[in-house]
Amino acid sequence: MDVQQALNIVWTLIAGMLVFFMQAGFAMVETGFTRAKNAGNIIMKNLMDFSIGSFVFFVIGFGLMFGADWNGLIGTSGFFDPTSLELTAFKDLTPGTFVFFQTVFCATAATIVSGAMAERTKFISYVIYSAVISLFIYPVVGHWIWGGGWLSQMGFIDFAGSTVVHSIGGWAALIGAAILGPRIGKYNKDGSANAIPGHSLTLGALGVFFLWFGWFGFNPGSTLAANGEIGHIAMTTNLAAAVAACTVMVITWIRYKKPDVSMTLNGVLAGLVAITAGCQAVTLWGSIAIGFVSGFIVVFGVELLDKVLKIDDPVGAVAVHCMNGVWGTLAVGLFACYDVGGENEVLGLFFGGGAGQLGVQALGVVSVAAWTIVTTGALFLIIKKTIGLRVSKIEEIEGLDVHEHGAEAYADFVIKG
């Protein structure tokens, strides 16, 4: 093993650890943006989707994603022992390093749904969903794009997962929240929406900073190598997040007469999601443009779901991950102007490359949306018709902590609402 390979292994492992730390970020964001009576339930879901996902992805999911290709659709080898595969990444790194890095990405996709379906979902139903997405739904898309499948063969670009990770989680969140229905008290008889504030902006903000920090492993770490690209990727990642936050602050200040704290925090996440697909391939100014647009998408996306579609998403997961995952993926076809993957230069529409790459990106967006909507829709409906998807009215009113887990997150405090 030479020095460069050793550096690559260390860098990829550190980046994977940063991505793992994002689980704490998701847990804090979702807990802070929901009510105190459900805080323990949120923590438990984030704990178990990583724990369950790690096991089922190791046993089956990794093989479906990176095993021997079958017609560009699915992997067919490496089950129960993913380290038995002969992958280039195993030679460049080590089997354990690469499997670990891919595991933490899989867990990120699974945990996105937790927030959108918060405060009214049965814990056992969530556990089943979490296992299935990590076992099958996520790995199939991962194979299409990162495992040598049909989309990668067409030249589809998703460097770190705007589509593979965030859009899958976002589409699943949208379908799950729609099938589950809104929380009690969210909508009045005339259809108007009521705000149901979370119990701790402090926890929400802490979670956003955790996620922002973790994203410096998520995006730069996707190089799988300690090379000259990681600094540029860190900069595009940071600029998109910062500009998105500034954009949301200004929009809400104008629209609501005061700068909205929770929406601005979600603006950071929107910018991070949007830049993830093209973080390697766009210029610094391109990342600024992507972040700017993502700020508008998250504000008006939340309003669209809340006021028009009447879909109750307590933490804004759909606007952040689904809508901005789509935007970030399409933005590659507009702003790409760098050598992607060290093989060939890809130029977006705004850099003289025509609409070809944009068309491939759009095809990928539609294909992944269709796959995720159909599979998660079927999954949630089956769960709803069998063991049930939603808790009882009294359980929802009194809180999931007590009824689902027999404990309270804030046992020494008086919980209101």
Side-chain angles (χ1 to χ4, degrees):
M1 181 183 296
D2 59 24
V3 174
Q4 183 59 55
Q5 186 181 18
L7 287 173
N8 294 345
I9 292 168
V10 171
W11 164 241
T12 304
L13 282 172
I14 291 173
M17 293 170 190
L18 288 173
V19 177
F20 167 73
F21 190 63
M22 291 171 70
Q23 291 290 323
F26 280 114
M28 294 300 98
V29 168
E30 293 169 18
T31 301
F33 286 179
T34 53
R35 289 168 289 185
K37 63 185 179 181
N38 300 308
N41 177 257
I42 295 288
I43 297 300
M44 190 66 169
K45 289 195 293 185
N46 279 271
L47 170 66
M48 294 315 300
D49 61 29
F50 183 83
S51 301
I52 294 168
S54 293
F55 175 69
V56 299
F57 186 71
F58 170 79
V59 174
I60 300 294
F62 189 91
L64 292 175
M65 191 164 172
F66 292 103
D69 177 65
W70 181 75
N71 294 327
L73 298 175
I74 200 167
T76 59
S77 60
F79 305 123
F80 300 98
D81 184 15
T83 61
S84 65
L85 294 171
E86 294 186 6
L87 302 179
T88 301
F90 284 1
K91 298 174 183 176
D92 294 341
L93 300 168
T94 64
T97 302
F98 187 66
V99 174
F100 171 72
F101 191 76
Q102 293 301 329
T103 297
V104 294
F105 270 64
C106 176
T108 301
T111 201
I112 289 168
V113 181
S114 172
M117 299 177 68
E119 303 200 291
R120 71 263 200 217
T121 305
K122 284 185 175 182
F123 181 69
I124 183 61
S125 302
Y126 181 82
V127 165
I128 292 170
Y129 145 77
S130 182
V132 174
I133 194 171
S134 299
L135 179 79
F136 179 64
I137 297 173
Y138 170 87
V140 170
V141 173
H143 183 78
W144 294 354
I145 298 170
W146 290 344
W150 69 277
L151 278 174
S152 67
Q153 294 168 20
M154 292 184 68
F156 181 85
I157 297 170
D158 184 10
F159 184 73
S162 286
T163 287
V164 177
V165 177
H166 297 283
S167 285
I168 288 179
W171 286 116
L174 174 64
I175 299 304
I179 293 174
L180 186 62
R183 290 168 291 175
I184 295 170
K186 177 62 180 178
Y187 294 105
N188 300 312
K189 291 182 179 180
D190 62 0
S192 59
N194 297 311
I196 304 179
H199 82 282
S200 177
L201 280 174
T202 306
L203 282 179
L206 183 66
V208 168
F209 281 114
F210 282 179
L211 288 167
W212 201 339
F213 178 64
W215 236 284
F216 295 127
F218 203 95
N219 287 1
S222 292
T223 58
L224 303 178
N227 59 28
E229 292 183 317
I230 59 179
H232 175 78
I233 295 170
M235 278 298 299
T236 58
T237 300
N238 190 61
L239 281 171
V243 170
C246 294
T247 303
V248 172
M249 181 190 71
V250 172
I251 294 172
T252 57
W253 210 331
I254 293 171
R255 194 166 178 82
Y256 310 142
K257 310 306 179 187
K258 293 182 184 296
D260 188 285
V261 181
S262 61
M263 189 72 83
T264 304
L265 289 169
N266 263 339
V268 172
L269 302 182
L272 290 167
V273 169
I275 195 58
T276 296
C279 56
Q280 179 206 31
V282 303
T283 66
L284 299 183
W285 280 102
S287 71
I288 289 170
I290 291 170
F292 177 73
V293 174
S294 71
F296 282 87
I297 290 173
V298 73
V299 173
F300 293 102
V302 166
E303 290 189 6
L304 174 67
L305 261 73
D306 210 31
K307 299 178 180 179
V308 179
L309 300 178
K310 310 296 183 186
I311 295 176
D312 184 14
D313 177 1
V315 304
V318 175
V320 168
H321 297 279
C322 178
M323 297 181 185
N324 276 289
V326 168
W327 157 239
T329 303
L330 295 175
V332 175
L334 301 175
F335 293 100
C337 66
Y338 284 151
D339 187 21
V340 178
E343 296 177 0
N344 58 290
E345 187 177 52
V346 176
L347 297 176
L349 182 64
F350 295 160
F351 287 84
Q357 187 65 46
L358 181 60
V360 172
Q361 299 299 112
L363 175 62
V365 165
V366 172
S367 301
V368 171
W371 166 257
T372 311
I373 289 169
V374 170
T375 52
T376 58
L379 174 62
F380 286 129
L381 287 173
I382 290 170
I383 293 173
K384 183 177 181 179
K385 296 296 184 181
T386 52
I387 63 173
L389 191 59
R390 186 168 184 143
V391 298
S392 69
K393 183 177 180 179
I394 190 65
E395 289 172 329
E396 183 175 348
I397 292 171
E398 294 183 355
L400 275 61
D401 284 7
V402 172
H403 286 278
E404 290 275 31
H405 307 288
E408 296 179 67
Y410 302 98
D412 295 332
F413 293 80
V414 176
I415 305 298
K416 297 192 299 181

